[in-house]
Amino acid sequence: MPAALRVAAKLLFFLAICLLIGYMCNFFRFDRILRAVTLPRTHPSYCRWPPLNLDEIRIANNTYNITLCTQPHRNASTFNSSITYPVKSIFNITTDDRWISFEELGESPRSMWELVIYPNIYRTYPQDVPIGDIVKAIKSGSLVSAKPDYNYPIRILKTSHSVCSDNTTHDLVMVVKSGILNWERRRLFRAFMRREKKLNPNTKVGVVFSLGVPRQYGGRKFDRDGHEMVLGGPAGDLMDEYNGRGNEVMQKIEEEMRMYDDIVLADYEDTYYNLTWKTVTNLRWISAFCDKRRNDVFMIIDDDHRMNVSMLMQFLASVPRDKKRTSIFGRIAYGDYASRSPQYKLYLSYREIPWDLMCPYPRGFCQLVGADIVDDMAIGSAYTRYPYVHEDVYLGLLAFKLGIPLQHVNTMFDHRELGNPELNSSPFMVAESSYWKMTRL
């Protein structure tokens, strides 16, 4: 009898162990399912873009980290000089069986470039990755197949509480690219917008000025790929005047922020040659902070340009909604060539951009960016090289990589077209500030 009891006890113990194992297996299976469902909404460190709420990117002192959080796959690749392309695929040279890297392109004989194949050559611009798949992965918080090489740290140090904040609503949100020392231009822009508000009382426009931090030392002198560049004009004069006076500049900016609450301040060095940093910051700020369901487009404009708000809203109303939300509108540059003179501020070296004919791009003074593509552009910026490349050329390359259509608007004019007869014979929706009577006074 005792032997039978011992056998029964062993069987019961074994059965209990089996039940416990089964329970634990089902528990962990359920737990995995539960976490798969709830993690994207509840876990504060979950990697995705855009964030579901600002708490996901909020860091110390109520600042915001707009550096992309990505989760590389175990076998994720990193861009390097070993990526090569068949010469035949980018040049009309059928007898050349070599493969060539982007770095080697800049060192190639210029005679080769007479046989270059456009737009194939633009695909070599770093970082050459399956960007469509990566954008989808980052949006969903999934693993990515390639690590971003240009995901430089960027923080928002201060943002507006009246535009793209909490439950604020606007018919149009406008981000004004302004140099940190351009307080006079900002004063004139605000005055112009007050006038436009009186003329368009039923249109609510939210305006923020996008700034970086002051350059501490160096004044107007910059190194551009081994060449010393001296920034001329009033912008250069201001940089020399405030050279080494960064604390004083920030005191003025802090007072301006308290007075107007219309500044988005990021931590990149605010100079002419960092305009692409400003552009990337603008895309990330719009993507993370603004309501992309209510707003179909977002305007980005220079602080020395102005717009006819009434004409602008009429134009937007005339464009089909799906086209508005998926395109970049502006004055599109077709057929522009790179400047190779180190004496010119738009200089591009062959190492930076080896081809001469630029990819079509929206000129930098103003763009309207669709709400459905701004997240893609914010993500794509981490996978597209941007130090020193001019911000409008950069937007063209970014749009090309992402397959975003560029829409030319013939009523938008930049400062280089002051003598354009079209400005005297037809209405203009966007133009340099001197075309508005208010700024001529």
Side-chain angles (χ1 to χ4, degrees), residues 150-164:
Y150 308 102
N151 191 24
Y152 303 117
I154 307 177
R155 289 182 303 151
I156 298 293
L157 304 177
K158 185 74 174 180
T159 188
S160 170
H161 297 291
S162 54
V163 179
C164 291

Side-chain angles (χ1 to χ4, degrees), residues 120-403:
N120 295 16
I121 192 67
Y122 302 139
R123 303 187 191 282
T124 66
Y125 191 74
Q127 187 175 351
D128 186 4
V129 294
I131 192 65
D133 294 338
I134 286 174
V135 166
K136 290 178 183 177
I138 292 176
K139 283 182 174 180
S140 65
S142 303
L143 302 179
V144 295
S145 60
K147 300 175 183 178
D149 285 348
Y150 308 102
N151 191 24
Y152 303 117
I154 307 177
R155 289 182 303 151
I156 298 293
L157 304 177
K158 185 74 174 180
T159 188
S160 170
H161 297 291
S162 54
V163 179
C164 291
S165 177
D166 296 327
N167 296 318
T168 58
T169 59
H170 295 89
D171 298 306
L172 178 68
V173 172
M174 189 181 302
V175 180
V176 184
K177 293 185 297 180
S178 184
I180 191 167
L181 303 178
N182 289 357
W183 28 73
E184 177 61 15
R185 285 189 179 183
R186 291 192 289 276
R187 183 189 69 80
L188 292 172
F189 199 101
R190 292 184 185 107
F192 179 86
M193 291 308 297
R194 286 195 293 271
R195 174 176 173 269
E196 286 295 300
K197 184 176 181 179
K198 290 179 180 178
L199 294 173
N200 303 275
N202 297 322
T203 302
K204 189 177 180 182
V205 179
V207 177
V208 295
F209 295 91
S210 176
L211 310 181
V213 296
R215 192 182 198 201
Q216 292 298 324
Y217 298 101
R220 65 170 74 202
K221 294 182 179 179
F222 298 85
D223 180 271
R224 288 286 289 108
D225 204 27
H227 299 279
E228 182 180 87
M229 309 289 287
V230 179
L231 189 64
D237 295 340
L238 280 171
M239 295 198 76
D240 271 352
E241 180 182 350
Y242 285 93
N243 187 29
R245 297 164 62 186
N247 291 338
E248 180 184 343
V249 171
M250 285 310 302
Q251 288 176 4
K252 292 170 72 74
I253 295 301
E254 287 166 7
E255 178 60 29
E256 195 175 347
M257 289 189 292
R258 282 192 295 270
M259 186 176 297
Y260 299 106
D261 186 31
D262 62 359
I263 286 176
V264 174
L265 180 69
D267 65 350
Y268 60 89
E269 189 176 80
D270 198 335
T271 70
Y272 175 81
Y273 291 108
N274 275 349
L275 278 173
T276 309
W277 283 78
K278 189 184 293 285
T279 295
V280 170
T281 299
N282 294 342
L283 293 171
R284 302 262 180 93
W285 180 80
I286 292 170
S287 176
F289 284 78
C290 296
D291 186 346
K292 290 159 290 186
R293 286 172 292 188
R294 176 180 174 84
N295 296 104
D296 290 331
V297 298
F298 298 91
M299 176 177 253
I300 301 174
I301 188 169
D302 284 353
D303 62 4
D304 60 350
H305 281 65
R306 305 288 186 266
M307 79 304 303
N308 181 322
V309 170
S310 174
M311 188 174 176
L312 173 60
M313 300 310 291
Q314 290 175 20
F315 166 76
L316 291 175
S318 71
V319 180
R321 190 165 188 246
D322 60 338
K323 184 176 181 179
K324 274 188 294 193
R325 295 184 64 87
T326 57
S327 303
I328 298 174
F329 297 83
R331 194 161 190 88
I332 309 304
Y334 297 101
D336 276 16
Y337 284 81
S339 171
R340 302 303 187 185
S341 170
Q343 306 305 314
Y344 187 43
K345 71 177 183 179
L346 296 179
Y347 167 71
L348 285 171
S349 71
Y350 291 116
R351 184 185 66 84
E352 293 163 338
I353 297 288
W355 47 83
D356 292 323
L357 179 62
M358 295 293 97
C359 186
Y361 64 89
R363 295 201 183 276
F365 68 96
C366 184
Q367 305 95 31
L368 293 161
V369 180
D372 285 345
I373 59 173
V374 71
D375 293 343
D376 296 13
M377 296 176 73
I379 294 169
S381 65
Y383 288 87
T384 307
R385 189 169 80 173
Y386 61 86
Y388 288 126
V389 175
H390 315 310
E391 83 277 18
D392 45 8
V393 171
Y394 177 81
L395 283 175
L397 288 166
L398 185 57
F400 177 80
K401 285 164 64 90
L402 292 166

